[in-house]
Amino acid sequence: GSPLALLLLLSGVYLFLRGNILLAGVALGFGTGTAIYILPAFLVLLLLSLTKSWRNGFLLAKGYAMILVPLHLLFLGIAGRSFLEQVYLYHLAKVAGSPYFMSVSAVFGTFTHMERFLILFALFAVHAFLLSRKPRNGDRAFVLSLLLGIDYLLFLAFLQRSFMHYFLLPTPFLALMAGWGMGSFPYVLSKTWQRSACAACTVLLMSWYVLSSVAVYSRFAPVFVFRRAEEIAAYLKENLKEEETIFGDFGDAPIIALLSDLRIAANEAENSLMRFEGSFSALSDVIANIENDRIGAILLRPGRDLEGFPPFRAYMEKYYTLETVFKRADGPEDVQVWRRKRDVSYTPQVSIP
């Protein structure tokens, strides 16, 4: 949901800058309903609105509440407390310092390395803004982008757990700042040769930035392209009984279930290790649930997620047999298919965290 939430966030910011405060609140309400981390941007815009007038602040909050309040009432009516647990308490239960995920500082380091040129241009833009002698079109958008960029970088710095896709949030605001900075050469540089030199440096740096970004993202692309999904689905559909269910990593099992018309065991689709590390869910409960729902096969990726989690690995090796491995010629990760042993009955283990 991150790209959709980002689209709604930027739509809200655009409407805010255009003076459509109520519609800005509506867009941000839809954004927060898609991803909770739109909330920090709403709080910044609410504060800015209140500094201008109480009416603006009321309109923004009204538009925001018009969307979020009905959404919360609807899902509270459907799922009750479970809705609050899954949407809010789950995130609060995440723990820092996990051996299975990158630390927040490591994610920050990766982001700054990958987007170093964008950050450099944004910093130049701040310098150019401080040197500007005359107001310019876009100054208000620049200041708002600066505030939102700082807001999100601080928000991400204080999270217990952070991931690279979270950094989609500050990136557009850094880009807007960088664009403003590149357009400021005629205003902060007085001599022609200075402008020409800066323009040439900008072209070189932008070319380097684009080429390095293409090289980086081309290495990640195969991880997100599940080319053998239909083949795996056909294999499971042929080898499993119609009433049997499947379970596996949250990035693979739902896709395979849809393609194969097989059910996910006990509807346990979200099985990130963060559920079990933060004591949000007991692994023993999840295992008991899938064992009671005719589990037939488990899909895993070697060394990642559930397969690399020792308690689950012990359960899997005791009750399952590795039947086949689908090699991924287009990427670094294979997909394993583990079949349930027919001659071993499951014994509940309450000691599993």
Side-chain angles (χ1 to χ4, degrees):
S2 298
L4 177 58
L6 183 62
L7 172 63
L8 292 166
L9 167 62
L10 294 177
S11 299
V13 172
Y14 173 77
L15 290 167
F16 182 85
L17 288 169
R18 298 281 295 179
N20 297 321
I21 307 300
L22 180 65
L23 289 180
V26 169
L28 293 169
F30 276 117
T32 307
T34 306
I36 190 63
Y37 36 69
I38 302 304
L39 178 60
F42 166 74
L43 294 176
V44 168
L45 295 179
L46 180 62
L47 181 62
L48 292 175
S49 298
L50 290 172
T51 58
K52 186 173 183 180
S53 73
W54 285 101
R55 182 178 180 276
N56 278 8
F58 172 76
L59 286 175
L60 187 70
K62 178 183 176 181
Y64 192 71
M66 282 169 54
I67 304 303
L68 277 192
V69 171
L71 276 179
H72 279 71
L73 292 176
L74 172 64
F75 288 107
L76 280 171
I78 294 172
R81 178 178 169 79
S82 180
F83 167 70
L84 296 177
E85 290 176 345
Q86 300 291 334
V87 175
Y88 295 103
L89 301 182
Y90 168 65
H91 294 286
L92 296 175
K94 292 177 182 178
V95 296
S98 168
Y100 304 102
F101 300 96
M102 292 175 65
S103 66
V104 174
S105 60
V107 177
F108 253 98
T110 303
F111 169 73
T112 54
H113 175 71
M114 293 175 65
E115 303 293 351
R116 56 195 180 277
F117 297 115
L118 186 60
I119 294 171
L120 178 65
F121 280 119
L123 291 174
F124 169 78
V126 174
H127 178 67
F129 181 79
L130 296 174
L131 292 178
S132 298
R133 297 179 178 85
K134 297 180 180 178
R136 291 171 47 199
N137 290 333
D139 283 1
R140 186 163 172 258
F142 174 83
V143 172
L144 184 57
S145 297
L146 175 61
L147 291 174
L148 290 172
I150 293 173
D151 175 46
Y152 271 118
L153 290 175
L154 290 174
F155 168 71
L156 294 172
F158 285 98
L159 288 179
Q160 289 280 68
R161 186 71 53 74
S162 186
F163 300 94
M164 282 303 300
H165 65 273
Y166 289 3
F167 284 85
L168 283 172
L169 297 165
T171 299
F173 303 113
L174 292 174
L176 288 169
M177 292 167 59
W180 187 96
M182 285 188 287
S184 65
F185 292 147
Y187 299 91
V188 298
L189 300 175
S190 57
K191 297 182 179 179
T192 303
W193 70 268
Q194 291 176 332
R195 298 175 185 175
S196 300
C198 278
C201 289
T202 299
V203 171
L204 290 174
L205 285 173
M206 284 297 295
S207 300
W208 189 5
Y209 172 67
V210 170
L211 292 174
S212 63
S213 296
V214 169
V216 169
Y217 288 108
S218 64
R219 293 202 302 270
F220 284 101
V223 178
F224 301 105
V225 180
F226 199 176
R227 299 189 188 280
R228 303 199 67 178
E230 293 185 357
E231 186 180 348
I232 297 171
Y235 175 86
L236 291 174
K237 195 169 185 177
E238 180 181 347
N239 289 277
L240 265 62
K241 297 177 182 178
E242 186 176 346
E243 67 273 12
E244 287 185 311
T245 59
I246 64 173
F247 180 72
D249 290 333
F250 63 90
D252 297 333
I255 299 173
I256 300 301
L258 289 171
L259 292 173
S260 63
D261 293 324
L262 294 167
R263 288 192 304 109
I264 295 177
N267 293 322
E268 292 284 359
E270 170 56 71
N271 47 58
S272 168
L273 297 186
M274 291 182 289
R275 283 183 63 184
F276 314 121
E277 283 189 307
S279 300
F280 182 78
S281 300
L283 179 58
S284 55
D285 292 341
V286 174
I287 291 175
N289 290 339
I290 66 175
E291 285 288 336
N292 290 327
D293 196 18
R294 299 178 179 179
I295 181 71
I298 290 181
L299 309 176
L300 298 173
R301 300 197 182 195
R304 279 199 58 188
D305 298 320
L306 288 171
E307 200 275 343
F309 191 46
F312 187 83
R313 178 79 190 187
Y315 155 75
M316 187 180 60
E317 290 179 344
K318 182 176 181 180
Y319 297 102
Y320 293 80
T321 301
L322 179 60
E323 185 170 83
T324 188
V325 178
F326 287 84
K327 300 288 185 181
R328 296 189 63 176
D330 60 331
E333 297 178 359
D334 301 329
V335 177
Q336 300 174 338
V337 177
W338 293 74
R339 291 292 302 277
R340 185 69 167 83
K341 294 178 181 179
R342 305 296 181 185
D343 56 344
V344 181
S345 298
Y346 174 67
T347 303
Q349 302 179 39
V350 296
S351 61
I352 298 178

